[in-house]
Structures are given as structure tokens and as C-alpha cells.
Amino acid sequence: MAEGLHGREKLVFLETFGCQMNENDSERMLGLLKGLSYTRTKDPSDADLIIINTCSIRDKAEQKVYSILGRFKSLKKERPWLVIVVAGCVAQQEGEKLLKRAPHLDIVFGPHNVHKLKELLLQADSGRKVVVTEQTGEISPEEYGIEPVELEEKAFVSIMRGCNNFCSYCIVPYTRGREVSRKSADILSEIEGLVEKGIKEVTLLGQNVNSYGTGGGGDDMSFPELLRKVCRVEGLSRVRFITSHPKDISDELIRLFGEEPRLCRHVHLPVQSGSDGVLAAMGRGYSVEYYLSKVWLLKKLYPEMAITTDIIVGFPGESEADYEATMSLLRTVRFDNIFSFMYSPRPGTTAAGLPDQIPLEVRSERLQRLQEEQKEITNERMRGLLGRTLDVLVEGESKIDASELSGRTSCNRIVNFPAPVWLQAGPGCLIEVTITEAYQNSLRGEVRAAGC
Ligand code: SAH
Ligand code: SF4
Ligand code: F3S
């Protein structure tokens, strides 16, 4: 290690790609690094440690890693003590191959090994290259519950990892391994600890939270049972969860929205396609009719429920008629928002080997048309909230105008609002806001009352 480094605080540059699970892993890394006297920097050229927490869900995400690594090559020449780490799903997928492509890398480790970061840094300190892609079949209590560094009013809590569904297009079961649930007692004590530190909202995380406790690990508790217990943790204002697989969304879970007032009225229910043929080839395990039955039940019981989804266009063999069926599903359901993607073949998945791959221009054109269609629907759904008074959990300054405050509704929409002089609300306060303006991605409103 270079002279002078021991005497001062060390700096880490950390960049995260991908889903909330990666965000959560990054938070845990920062928590561990805090104990090793690292502070975060926004400038990689200042850093003693660079970590890229990667995603390989689509090819584009994976390629980003290589271009970023290329940029850091010269930094390593200037600062030979610099340690460069690739973590996350590309690390798991590529392992040793990453070291061959980028010899200036020091450590490669997969998502199951986040808690070993300290040990890996020590090994790299002695000049070794380290690659760790072991996957374990259980979760020890010390792996999670590492105190996040940047705590404000909300936090993510992983309740399980991995996925057993093997949808034919998806890399996640390979990069995150088999489904393993954490013990309910560990999850609840992590949440109680977060509440003590001022957290008001938690989002329970898993690739398919509805199957909590049914794969490996966990205990005898089902997801709805766990969710009920979490909703009742004293001091918490709101509870969310992502993601639910439509095939496993039970009536018991649906009923909870009516029984637990702290459970936010938002469900992210990825449908992927509006064609039964495509859904079958994707291996999703449900039909369009089944999916719609769940959506109608949710909408009937809770008319203000926000429903969002994920869509893939251009899956191998998707005909124009299949694609039109997806467009028609959008018009029928009128989702509050969608996340839509062009199908991207992933190495080792069944779909990558299917005949009739759709040309890039067709995939791209279909995506564009789909997004245009949804833009109108999102807009209309946002305008539907005009004049309504909604509960908003304050998060901080508005990103649009720093003199204003910003927060989220129970249905997860951003609301910006001017703070009246009488308002003493900071992050974590629940207030009532009447919606006066609606845009594509946010709402604006006037404060009516504050609960704190
Ligand atoms: N576990 C969640 C999804 C996690 S991945 C679920 O099953 O609902 C997030 C989204 O990425 C998926 O819902 C899907 O829409 C998209 N996705 C996954 N693999 C993809 C691929 N190979 N090409 C394009 N989009 C993909
Ligand atoms: Fe991927 Fe399907 Fe698992 Fe979701 S449920 S992570 S899409 S394999
Ligand atoms: Fe990406 Fe891995 Fe999440 S592939 S979407 S970071 S599980």
C-alpha cells in the first residue's frame, strides 16, 4: 500500500447498476466500509477503492461494465495502490473471465459474497487477485442487517434472494442462484433496528416475494404472514414490497391491502406480454385471462390502487398479432406506469437458443410504439388525481425546485409542494396534500394538514 494512505481517511467510489437488490447490496457494502474508515467520494480519480456493482439483465447493462472499466485503467497507473472491484451479477456470470478482459481489476465477487468484502480487501492488499463466485444455500444472520450508511426516512430490506422460476429469457436464476429466504425473526429485528434509527418506510425486497418461505431457508411463515407482522412494527408509517410474480399472488395477500392501513396501495405485477403464446414460451406460468382476473379483483376491492408492470417486446417468435395483444392489454388495464424493455438474449438461457429471434429494428420500433401508447395512459392516470387529497411521506427537497419539498403518495407517485410557513415537516413526516398539477412523472400540490 502507498505511503501516507494509513494516516488518512480512505475514499471509496461506488457505482450501482440494476435493481433494488443491487442497491441494497451496495448499501450493505458502504455499511461495511464505514467500519474500515472509508468515506464515499463522487470522483473516481480521488478514490483508493472503486467498486462497480453490476447488472447483467440485458446485454446493454453488461457492456457498460467494460466501458467503465476501460476508463479506470489509467487511474490505476497513476495510483498503483488503487483497488478496483467488480461486484454484482456480471461478476457472478463472468468470474475469472473478467480478470482476463481487464487485468487491472483486483477483486471480482458475486452477490452471495457481499458480507465477505473486508476479508477480500485484505487479500487484495497483499497483492493477490481475488475471484469469489460461490453461492450458498442458506443465509446467515450476519449477511444482512449491516447498518446502511445513508439512512433517511426509508430503507430497503431484503427478505430473500435468488429465484427458482427460470423464465426462459432471464439471467437472474443463474447470477443470484436458488431461492433462499431469511428467517422471519432476522427480518423483523432488522426492521425494528431501522425504525429506532428513524426509518418510517420499508420496502421488502425479493425477485418473487410471494414465494417467501417456500423455497430454501425461512421458517414456517408465508409472505402474507410476514407482511402482516412487518406492518405492525411499532413506529413504522408505511410498508411496500417488490416484486410479486402474478402466478403466486394469493387472495390472502390481496386481502391484506384492506386490513393493514400501513400497507401502501401499490402493486408491481410484471405481466411481460399480452399474448398467451408468448407467455407460455417465456415460461411465466399464467395466462392473460388469469392475470386480468387478479387485476380486476385488485381494482374492484381498492379503486385507488396503483398497478405497475414490466413488459418485454420482441421475444423470439413474437408475431405482430402477439405484439398487438400486448398493446391491447395496456389499453384494457390502463397501468399507472410500465417499465418496458426490448428482449435481449442472455447467455445460457433457453430463449437465447430459440429460433425466430426478432431483428433489432423490429424490437426497437415495437418498444417505441408501446412507450408512446403508455405515455398517454400514464398521463391520464396522473390527471385522474387532480383535486384529490393524498397522504404524502416527506422525503426532502424537490429535485425540480430546491425551495420546495418532495415526497411520495401511498401509490408511489412523487409529489412536489411549497412548504407553507406554518409547516414544520421534515423527511419522514406524513402530511396531507391536495393535488393541483399533474405531469408525466410527478404531481404538484398544496399542503392541507401535517401529522407531525
Ligand atoms: N423477478 C421479477 C423481474 C426481475 S427482472 C419478475 O419476475 O417479475 C426485471 C425485468 O427485467 C423483468 O420483469 C423483465 O421485464 C426484464 N427482463 C428480464 N430479462 C430480460 C431480457 N433478457 N431481456 C429484456 N428484458 C428482460
Ligand atoms: Fe427472472 Fe422470472 Fe425469476 Fe423474475 S421470476 S427473476 S423474470 S426468472
Ligand atoms: Fe440486474 Fe442482477 Fe438485479 S441482473 S436486475 S442486478 S438481480
Side-chain angles (χ1 to χ4, degrees), residues 57 163-167 169-173 207-208 245 272 284:
I57 199 84
C163 183
N164 288 350
N165 285 320
F166 287 93
C167 301
Y169 51 82
C170 186
I171 195 86
V172 172
Q207 288 299 350
N208 177 12
H245 193 300
Q272 313 298 357
R284 291 289 289 177

Side-chain angles (χ1 to χ4, degrees), residues 382-392 409 413-416 432-439 442-448:
M382 294 294 261
R383 284 198 308 269
L385 294 169
L386 285 170
R388 297 265 311 273
T389 298
L390 304 172
D391 281 345
V392 170
T409 64
R413 293 175 180 99
I414 297 170
V415 185
N416 298 310
E432 284 178 21
V433 179
T434 303
I435 307 305
T436 53
E437 291 167 50
Y439 304 98
S442 64
L443 301 162
R444 200 153 177 281
E446 282 165 14
V447 180
R448 283 282 163 264

Side-chain angles (χ1 to χ4, degrees), residues 60-88:
K60 215 166 152 187
E62 186 182 334
Q63 293 316 319
K64 251 189 214 155
V65 180
Y66 294 104
S67 65
I68 290 176
L69 275 176
R71 286 208 319 262
F72 295 153
K73 201 170 176 177
S74 57
L75 286 182
K76 181 96 179 182
K77 282 207 183 99
E78 290 159 24
R79 302 160 70 81
W81 66 87
L82 171 66
V83 174
I84 304 184
V85 181
V86 172

Side-chain angles (χ1 to χ4, degrees), residues 309-321:
T309 202
D310 292 347
I311 307 258
I312 298 178
V313 296
F315 184 82
E318 183 189 72
S319 65
E320 193 55 34

Side-chain angles (χ1 to χ4, degrees), residues 332-402:
T332 311
V333 175
R334 309 198 81 72
F335 291 104
D336 291 270
N337 212 347
I338 65 166
F339 296 89
S340 50
F341 314 99
M342 248 192 283
Y343 167 72
S344 169
R346 307 310 295 128
T349 59
T350 318
L354 288 176
D356 204 5
Q357 298 281 327
I358 309 289
L360 179 65
E361 315 79 75
V362 178
R363 279 183 281 153
S364 158
E365 188 269 334
R366 284 182 184 171
L367 183 64
Q368 214 178 338
R369 260 197 289 155
L370 185 96
Q371 290 178 340
E372 281 300 312
E373 183 76 36
Q374 180 61 33
K375 218 170 162 179
E376 284 300 306
I377 299 170
T378 302
N379 218 285
E380 180 203 293
R381 301 281 304 163
M382 294 294 261
R383 284 198 308 269
L385 294 169
L386 285 170
R388 297 265 311 273
T389 298
L390 304 172
D391 281 345
V392 170
L393 185 80
V394 180
E395 295 190 352
E397 277 174 9
S398 153
K399 285 197 178 115
I400 301 172
D401 175 351

